[in-house]
Amino acid sequence: MDVPRTASGRPAARHRDRPRHWWARTLSWWGAAWHDFHYLVMPAECVACGRDDAALCPDCAVALRRQARDPFRAEEAADALMSVFGQTTLPVVAVGDYRDILSAAILAFKNHGRTELATELGRALGRGVEALPRLLPGTGGRELMLVPVPSTVGGWRRRGYDPVALLLHTLARERRLPPGMSVAPLLAIRPRLPWHRRKQKALGRAARRANVRNSMRIRRRLHRGARPAALLAGADVVVVDDVLTTGSTVGEAARTLAGTGATVCGALVLAAARSPAQGGGGTTLGRRA
């Protein structure tokens, strides 16, 4: 079977837009059908202001685009990505601050099944993708693989989808990826016994780093028979995640990829949480989805 290739001849990764097993596809189909029926019977509300009949009303959609219009470097807010001497160990580009309408949209998309927000959030992420050559030194003119941080098994089972992978799929489907960039779902979560599973958001900074250590692995095989080892050998990659807090998760993803011989150029996140001392990280919205 022929494997699609990039302009340089390297095998091109394909986004995993469908589960491999029939039962997982069936569950996903029923979940999507129930989601559509739910919003037919109970019309959607804007996740920010509560206005009826839209996941984001026109005013809030404009406000989200304004909040996500100027991507910036954000690793200084993540202590896991800075050395004891204050040097950056992994550069990170953030599309916006984790507050206001952007945080409300991300929470609704991740935790409340509001998958109709994928288009708006995907386009916001696309602004970050376009800014990578400008904000990550040395990436201009190079082919980049965008590697999403995978969802945990429990998270995928609870939601029925992988949030970061879905956003990247939306970008690829709308042909918003710049030339030379491709999506490569090369990472997977290592299985853990139930009593060893701990949610990141419930942990402190040091505990977060310990919780994600050795938690990821490289997939054994992709669709169409492509082997991740062949894709990663000498490749330039950018880790993609939704929210940057301590940097432990993107740091572990970068370490896992670098162990295969890939060059990790940095990370891209949809939003970065900032400490109160940096003037961010909070929200001015009184309503949450």
Side-chain angles (χ1 to χ4, degrees):
M1 182 179 294
D2 294 334
V3 177
R5 297 180 178 273
T6 63
S8 65
R10 185 185 301 279
R14 291 176 59 87
H15 176 75
R16 187 169 60 109
D17 56 351
R18 299 181 65 200
R20 180 178 301 177
H21 301 292
W22 68 268
W23 55 266
R25 293 196 297 271
T26 301
L27 286 175
S28 180
W29 184 88
W30 278 109
W34 169 252
H35 178 272
D36 293 341
F37 174 76
H38 177 267
Y39 285 109
L40 178 65
V41 176
M42 300 178 64
E45 294 181 347
C46 175
V47 300
C49 70
R51 188 181 300 178
D52 290 338
D53 296 330
L56 273 179
C57 69
D59 292 340
C60 291
V62 170
L64 186 146
R65 293 172 197 143
R66 187 181 301 118
Q67 188 180 348
R69 67 186 175 188
D70 296 315
F72 57 91
R73 287 282 292 272
E75 67 273 7
E76 290 185 1
D79 58 356
L81 305 181
M82 304 296 293
S83 71
V84 294
F85 302 106
Q87 297 175 328
T88 298
T89 58
L90 182 72
V92 180
V93 173
V95 177
D97 288 322
Y98 188 64
R99 59 182 177 84
D100 300 333
I101 292 175
L102 182 57
S103 65
I106 293 173
L107 284 172
F109 176 65
K110 286 182 60 177
N111 299 334
H112 299 281
R114 303 296 296 272
T115 53
E116 66 269 38
L117 290 166
T119 297
E120 197 67 51
L121 290 175
R123 290 174 181 174
L125 186 64
R127 297 185 189 97
V129 171
E130 294 170 355
L132 289 178
R134 173 171 56 87
L135 295 176
L136 291 183
T139 58
R142 296 162 69 178
E143 290 190 355
L144 295 177
M145 287 186 180
L146 306 178
V147 181
V149 170
S151 180
T152 63
V153 175
W156 198 99
R157 187 183 299 115
R158 183 174 65 255
R159 302 184 187 102
Y161 58 94
D162 185 328
V164 180
L166 180 56
L167 293 181
L168 288 173
H169 174 60
T170 300
L171 276 179
R173 185 186 64 219
E174 295 185 351
R175 301 182 183 277
R176 290 178 176 270
L177 289 177
M181 293 191 190
S182 60
V183 178
L186 303 175
L187 291 172
I189 297 294
R190 292 183 185 275
R192 287 184 175 181
L193 295 173
W195 50 86
H196 288 162
R197 298 172 189 166
R198 305 172 69 190
K199 292 185 178 181
Q200 283 289 90
K201 64 181 180 181
L203 302 176
R205 292 178 179 270
R208 285 184 180 223
R209 289 195 292 269
N211 190 48
V212 299
R213 192 170 296 125
N214 297 319
S215 63
M216 300 183 197
R217 64 173 176 82
I218 303 298
R219 294 185 183 279
R220 296 182 181 89
R221 189 178 295 274
L222 299 176
H223 290 311
R224 294 182 177 270
R227 293 181 178 274
L231 294 171
L232 285 170
D236 297 316
V237 303
V238 173
V239 177
V240 184
D241 204 2
D242 48 13
V243 179
L244 177 73
T245 49
T246 65
S248 301
T249 302
V250 293
E252 177 63 20
R255 187 195 65 80
T256 303
L257 291 165
T260 66
T263 299
V264 182
C265 301
L268 170 66
V269 296
L270 194 55
R274 299 193 182 190
S275 66
Q278 293 172 304
T283 178
T284 60
L285 289 175
R287 188 179 185 280
R288 273 288 174 263

